[in-house]
């Protein structure tokens, strides 16, 4: 299943309601599960981003749907990247001519 890394910043609304963040993360875990994926981890970070989320979803379309659904709530802005496993990377590099 494809892996995604999301770099997240809270919006002002998200900061204003920061005490609800653990509940929102728990709800996100359930939403990922319902979409056939898994939220593998959510990490509070220091620096440019407030959170880093690692997830798996069945497809890029499912990931885009999850990102848009989450962002629509207004608490976060995110930048999401498709991440390739070491095995996938080795296969991709093997195709380089």
């Amino acid at each position: 299943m494809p892996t995604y890394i999301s770099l997240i910043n809270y919006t002002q609304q998200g900061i204003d309601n920061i005490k609800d963040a653990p509940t929102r993360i728990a709800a996100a875990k359930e939403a990922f599960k319902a979409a056939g994926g898994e939220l593998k981890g959510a990490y509070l970070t220091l620096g440019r981003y407030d959170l880093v989320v690692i997830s798996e979803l069945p497809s890029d379309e499912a990931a885009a749907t999850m990102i848009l659904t989450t962002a629509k709530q207004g608490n976060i802005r995110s930048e999401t990247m498709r991440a390739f496993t070491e095995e996938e990377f080795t296969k991709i590099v093997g195709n380089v001519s």
Side-chain angles (χ1 to χ4, degrees), residues 5-92:
I5 299 171
S6 297
L7 307 174
I8 296 172
N9 283 313
Y10 287 114
T11 61
Q12 187 61 50
Q13 176 182 307
I15 290 295
D16 289 345
N17 298 299
I18 195 63
K19 292 207 177 240
D20 296 333
T23 301
R24 290 194 303 264
I25 291 171
K29 286 182 180 182
E30 291 303 314
F32 274 80
K33 190 182 294 184
E38 180 181 3
L39 193 156
K40 306 289 271 180
Y43 303 89
L44 177 67
T45 55
L46 302 176
R48 182 175 174 187
Y49 298 98
D50 299 320
L51 291 173
V52 173
V53 171
I54 300 172
S55 60
E56 292 181 345
L57 285 155
S59 66
D60 290 345
E61 293 80 5
T65 300
M66 186 61 57
I67 292 162
L68 293 171
T69 300
T70 303
K72 182 180 174 189
Q73 296 172 14
N75 296 300
I76 63 163
R77 296 277 183 253
S78 68
E79 179 178 340
T80 300
M81 301 169 282
R82 168 70 161 87
F84 295 89
T85 64
E86 186 177 348
E87 182 180 317
E88 291 168 323
F89 175 68
T90 300
K91 183 178 177 182
I92 291 165

